[in-house]
């Protein structure tokens, strides 16, 4: 019997991704694939597997819309940054990736939760939220370049905040390694260790913010003296004002952020 697969496409990118979807369907004659590129189904009942095509924001929407999903999940790259996809598949070709999808070898991977939102990649509190707001205007510029163009103005204007009285320029809590289309904030992070990685950066003058940006992008910042890294399973971060946070490319506003790890939360199809 053919495997029953539901294929969920980012509805805002259906035209952009149409040729990729058609190519996938032509390569899968032994699968019974139902495509949803506008309104996603209310339930995944009746399917044996779910494929999702989009970027980090699409994957974030998926896990929050179907938080109890127990089906094997196949991720297809189709976004601006594709950072969580990269964590699982690296820079493999479309052909190699589809071969993994068809083989269906799976593993269970962690997720995180902040307040009421699930996340796969990570959360940046403060300046990351401001960068995300700026990126809304330049989403057509993909990857690290778009992140740079959005981040530089924010680096000039963002003022530090306080966590439990401690002045902070940046606080990030991640499940995975990178964001922003290739900024390796947590090069040591694992999505299978049952922990979240946390980084706190002390206030910095503007010239240091600019100087260290490419160093952080490359993931060579772990030993810098103004950064503190830790690993947590559960953590409450109380800020001295309401801040924007980016959660896998989505915005969350609050003054208090309650984190917890969700070990082995979802079953993902992984590389052969």
């Amino acid at each position: 019997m053919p495997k029953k697969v539901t294929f969920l496409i980012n509805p805002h990118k259906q035209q952009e991704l149409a040729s990729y979807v058609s190519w996938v369907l032509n390569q899968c004659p032994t699968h019974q694939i139902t495509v949803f590129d506008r309104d996603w189904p209310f339930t995944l009942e009746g399917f044996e597997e779910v494929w999702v095509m989009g970027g980090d924001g699409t994957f974030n929407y998926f896990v929050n819309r179907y938080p109890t999903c127990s089906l094997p999940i196949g991720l297809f790259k189709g976004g601006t940054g594709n950072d969580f996809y990269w964590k699982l598949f690296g820079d493999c070709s479309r052909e190699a990736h589809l071969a993994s999808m068809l083989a269906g070898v799976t593993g269970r991977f962690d997720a995180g939760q902040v307040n009421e939102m699930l996340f796969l990649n990570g959360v940046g509190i403060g300046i990351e939220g401001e960068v995300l707001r700026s990126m809304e205007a330049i989403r057509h510029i993909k990857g690290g370049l778009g992140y740079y163009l959005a981040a530089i103005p924010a680096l000039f204007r963002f003022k530090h905040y306080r966590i439990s009285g401690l002045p902070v320029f940046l606080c990030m809590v991640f499940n995975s390694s990178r964001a922003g289309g290739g900024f390796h904030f947590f090069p040591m992070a694992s999505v299978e260790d049952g922990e979240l990685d946390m980084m706190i950066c002390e206030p910095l003058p503007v010239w240091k913010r600019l100087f260290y940006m490419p160093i952080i992008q490359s993931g060579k910042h772990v030993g810098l003296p103004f950064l503190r890294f830790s690993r947590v399973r559960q953590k409450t971060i109380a800020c001295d004002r309401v801040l924007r946070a980016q959660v896998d490319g989505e915005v969350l506003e609050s003054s208090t952020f309650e984190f917890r790890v969700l070990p082995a939360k979802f079953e993902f199809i992984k590389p052969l």
Side-chain angles (χ1 to χ4, degrees), residues 98-191:
L98 186 58
S100 294
M101 293 295 105
L102 296 178
V105 177
T106 65
R108 298 203 68 87
F109 295 90
D110 304 337
Q113 182 172 340
V114 55
N115 296 356
E116 300 302 319
M117 289 183 68
L118 301 188
F119 62 92
L120 297 175
N121 225 39
V123 180
I125 301 171
I127 187 171
E128 280 285 289
E130 298 302 318
V131 171
L132 180 61
R133 184 175 65 168
S134 300
M135 285 191 74
E136 292 297 329
I138 56 171
R139 282 197 177 271
H140 61 285
I141 304 177
K142 296 187 176 183
L145 176 59
Y147 188 88
Y148 260 103
L149 293 176
I152 288 175
L155 289 174
F156 276 96
R157 66 174 178 260
F158 187 77
K159 300 185 183 300
H160 73 266
Y161 53 100
R162 291 182 179 271
I163 297 175
S164 301
L166 177 71
V168 170
F169 172 64
L170 173 65
C171 178
M172 308 183 84
V173 179
F174 265 52
N175 176 47
S176 189
S177 295
R178 72 177 212 185
F183 277 74
H184 296 263
F185 294 109
F186 294 92
M188 75 297 280
S190 168
V191 291

Side-chain angles (χ1 to χ4, degrees), residues 199-232:
M199 177 178 72
I200 291 180
C201 177
E202 66 184 40
L204 297 172
V206 171
W207 73 267
K208 279 192 175 182
R209 301 177 188 182
L210 295 172
F211 177 81
Y212 284 107
M213 191 173 178
I215 295 174
I216 292 174
Q217 181 181 21
S218 66
K220 298 178 180 179
H221 58 292
V222 175
L224 294 175
F226 51 82
L227 299 175
R228 291 195 290 116
F229 288 88
S230 59
R231 289 179 175 171
V232 299

Side-chain angles (χ1 to χ4, degrees), residues 15-37:
Q15 292 184 334
E16 177 184 337
L17 298 173
S19 63
Y20 188 11
V21 174
S22 295
W23 177 81
V24 171
L25 296 179
N26 288 333
Q27 302 299 313
C28 304
T30 61
H31 285 55
Q32 182 180 327
I33 302 175
T34 304
V35 177
F36 294 89
D37 58 4

Side-chain angles (χ1 to χ4, degrees), residues 250-261:
E250 303 301 318
V251 174
L252 172 65
E253 291 192 12
S254 183
S255 61
T256 302
F257 300 88
E258 297 182 351
F259 289 92
R260 67 186 181 104
V261 68

